[in-house]
Amino acid sequence: MWNILGPYLIQVKLGHSASFFGTTALICGTSYLLGTLINRVVAPRFKSMPIMKSGILLFFLGVVCMIVSGSGVQIYLIMAGVILVAFAQGFIFSQCDGTIYGYIRPSGQRCR
């Protein structure tokens, strides 16, 4: 969603350059990567459901940040929400994929 709405918001509404948007997109992508990497460390230690629940909580916190900034365009609040949502997506999606495809058992143990 950020890749579609972000350029309009950053360049048209706020008057920033395209390179500024590129920086925000890079930060967003990095947060997704960090979510997947942290999930890789956390997954062997905990069961799948608590990991996914914490990811969903982070996701909703990001959505709340974006909703709070809805009254006025505040780039830092919007970006905080986007970063949290992207991190949570990396956290949740990699956990779900590992469970669905059999790499991680629902108990949290890795399959060999």
Side-chain angles (χ1 to χ4, degrees), residues 33-55:
L33 175 66
L34 284 174
T36 59
L37 293 175
I38 290 175
N39 183 36
R40 184 178 176 111
V41 172
V42 171
R45 293 179 175 88
F46 299 100
K47 294 183 178 183
S48 294
M49 200 51 79
I51 293 172
M52 285 192 261
K53 285 181 181 178
S54 63

Side-chain angles (χ1 to χ4, degrees), residues 60-78 80-81:
F60 283 119
L61 285 174
V63 170
V64 167
C65 279
M66 288 186 275
I67 289 173
V68 166
S69 69
S71 60
V73 180
Q74 301 170 6
I75 189 65
Y76 296 109
L77 260 176
I78 292 172

Side-chain angles (χ1 to χ4, degrees), residues 82-101:
V82 168
I83 289 168
L84 276 173
V85 166
F87 180 85
Q89 286 174 338
F91 204 67
I92 295 168
F93 294 163
S94 57
Q95 185 68 34
C96 290
D97 284 348
T99 303
I100 289 170
Y101 296 121

